[in-house]
Amino acid sequence: LERISVRRDALLEAGLQLFGTVGYQATSVKQICAEAGLSERYFYESFKDRQRLLLAVYEGLVEGMRAATVDAIGTADGDEMPVQALDAFVGYLTADRRRARLVLIEVMGVGPLLETRRHGVMREFAELTDRDLDEVRYLDVPGHALIDRVLGQQPVDLHRLGLPHPVRTRHRLVLHARL
């Protein structure tokens, strides 16, 4: 059981590396296995197909974004909470270009399974941030709408929001997002 877990982790890391650098469409199961140092037999031991691997990698990243955001909300004081939550959310994504590419680009349009999950994630983050981030504005966009846009509901708007330029709130510079 431990060996299966180790192999699965290697495949998840290989998926993040390849999907996050060369892209989902350009990555084959054979390439994933080569990156992980495993045979295709072990790929299919853990995943039905590439889409299931992409979903698993995406779920791990979503959990990381959620944990960073919730932690920031829980530890922030008063008026700084929305600023720190948004900083943590975008900071998690932009700390590793592969994360940002996978969450913002690679999961879009892959298929119904990922589209359903991606829209569910947008709803979850909108609910999490709606109350707490409404005071954060950039280009007159409420915080929850910014989160929706960052998560890919309107991917073209990501660049129109000024990324990779600084995102500003009413009070101070929040973050630099360099994708």
Side-chain angles (χ1 to χ4, degrees):
L1 216 51
E2 185 178 329
R3 287 182 190 172
I4 292 172
S5 178
V6 168
R7 289 191 294 260
R8 180 180 169 84
D9 289 346
L11 291 165
L12 288 167
E13 182 58 36
L16 175 61
Q17 177 60 29
L18 293 172
F19 299 152
T21 56
V22 300
Y24 174 78
Q25 296 299 334
T27 301
S28 68
V29 170
K30 189 173 186 172
Q31 290 169 311
I32 293 164
C33 292
E35 179 75 21
L38 298 169
S39 72
E40 288 186 40
R41 170 182 159 219
Y42 294 122
F43 177 89
Y44 293 107
E45 171 186 76
S46 294
F47 301 100
K48 181 179 175 182
D49 52 30
R50 278 183 321 134
Q51 190 175 113
R52 303 290 175 164
L53 173 61
L54 179 61
L55 177 63
V57 174
Y58 178 66
E59 290 290 356
L61 296 177
V62 166
E63 185 53 40
M65 284 187 310
R66 182 180 297 110
T69 304
V70 168
D71 185 51
I73 289 170
T75 59
D77 293 325
D79 292 341
E80 289 299 304
M81 187 275 301
V83 173
Q84 291 175 5
L86 185 58
D87 184 41
F89 175 88
V90 178
Y92 176 83
L93 278 182
T94 59
D96 183 336
R97 294 175 63 109
R98 300 172 306 167
R99 293 177 189 168
R101 178 174 177 166
L102 201 141
V103 169
L104 301 175
I105 298 168
E106 296 303 326
V107 297
M108 294 184 68
V110 170
L113 177 68
L114 275 154
E115 280 300 298
T116 299
R117 183 60 188 128
R118 188 174 67 82
H119 287 281
V121 167
M122 287 186 289
R123 281 190 306 277
E124 291 166 18
F125 272 89
E127 290 169 8
L128 175 67
T129 60
D130 193 30
R131 182 196 73 222
D132 297 322
L133 294 183
D134 255 352
E135 292 183 22
V136 178
R137 295 193 170 274
Y138 182 69
L139 297 179
D140 295 322
V141 177
H144 70 278
L146 179 60
I147 297 297
D148 289 345
R149 291 178 185 186
V150 170
L151 280 174
Q153 184 173 344
Q154 300 171 356
V156 174
D157 284 351
L158 182 64
H159 299 290
R160 290 186 186 145
L161 286 173
L163 300 176
H165 304 291
V167 174
R168 297 184 184 277
T169 67
R170 295 176 300 147
H171 302 293
R172 67 180 179 110
L173 180 66
V174 177
L175 54 95
H176 290 275
R178 288 190 164 69
L179 299 178

